[in-house]
């Protein structure tokens, strides 16, 4: 992963740029991943599990309403890249990921993630994320 910091602009307390702010292979990987991998996901209710899945082993996740992005981490730096190519750096969750990966001795990683706003009082939507990203205090 190569990040071109000169192509990132300060934006509400973090840095943001387009797909040319990261090397072409990484940008392509981010664009392709959601299309290729997430098309295999299916929504399912607890009542449908036995009928639709049987007794085969599956991974199940909770659906968060946010923005899908890949976290690219290498040499103590990280960015998130969404499938449209938007590159972000310096958001608190990215900085926390750097600390966790570094602490665990991980040198390089690409991690698919959902960037969302957590509020224990209500279910948040992608609009809450957009609102948070436009307000430096949030």
């Amino acid at each position: 992963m190569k990040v071109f910091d000169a192509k990132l602009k300060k934006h509400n307390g973090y840095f943001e740029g387009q797909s040319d702010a990261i090397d072409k292979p990484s940008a392509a990987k981010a664009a392709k991943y959601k299309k290729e991998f997430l098309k295999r996901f299916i929504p399912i209710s607890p009542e449908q599990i036995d009928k639709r899945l049987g007794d085969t082993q599956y991974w199940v996740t909770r659906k968060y309403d946010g923005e899908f992005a890949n976290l690219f981490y290498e040499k103590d730096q990280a960015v998130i890249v969404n499938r449209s190519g938007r590159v972000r750096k310096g958001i608190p969750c990215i900085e926390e990921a750097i600390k966790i990966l570094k602490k665990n001795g991980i040198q390089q990683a690409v991690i698919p993630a959902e960037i969302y706003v957590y509020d224990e009082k209500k279910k948040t939507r992608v609009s809450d994320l957009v609102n948070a990203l436009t307000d430096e205090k949030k």
Side-chain angles (χ1 to χ4, degrees), residues 18-86:
Q18 297 304 315
S19 60
D20 63 348
I22 194 167
D23 64 282
K24 288 184 181 188
S26 296
K29 185 180 282 189
K32 185 178 178 183
Y33 186 86
K34 184 172 184 179
K35 182 179 178 184
E36 295 301 315
F37 181 71
L38 294 183
K39 70 182 177 184
R40 296 182 181 106
F41 281 44
I42 60 169
I44 192 166
S45 69
E47 296 78 26
Q48 297 173 309
I49 291 174
D50 288 334
K51 183 178 179 184
R52 291 191 65 189
L53 301 180
D55 54 13
T56 306
Q57 184 175 5
Y58 289 88
W59 291 94
V60 179
T61 65
R62 179 178 178 185
K63 170 65 175 108
Y64 292 99
D65 190 8
E67 178 181 287
F68 179 80
N70 286 288
L71 175 82
F72 287 83
Y73 170 78
E74 187 174 320
K75 298 180 183 169
D76 300 335
Q77 74 168 342
V79 296
I80 55 171
V81 183
N82 69 15
R83 82 176 203 176
S84 67
R86 181 171 290 149

Side-chain angles (χ1 to χ4, degrees), residues 77-137:
Q77 74 168 342
V79 296
I80 55 171
V81 183
N82 69 15
R83 82 176 203 176
S84 67
R86 181 171 290 149
V87 178
R88 293 186 179 115
K89 180 178 180 179
I91 296 173
C93 64
I94 299 171
E95 300 307 307
E96 183 178 349
I98 291 170
K99 289 177 188 172
I100 292 168
L101 293 165
K102 188 175 181 178
K103 179 182 174 184
N104 287 285
I106 297 170
Q107 300 295 314
Q108 183 180 27
V110 178
I111 302 169
E114 188 79 11
I115 308 303
Y116 67 98
V117 173
Y118 175 76
D119 185 336
E120 63 184 45
K121 297 177 185 168
K122 69 173 189 152
K123 181 177 178 168
T124 60
R125 302 283 183 199
V126 71
S127 58
D128 296 304
L129 174 66
V130 172
N131 186 355
L133 290 172
T134 59
D135 184 345
E136 188 169 348
K137 294 175 187 167

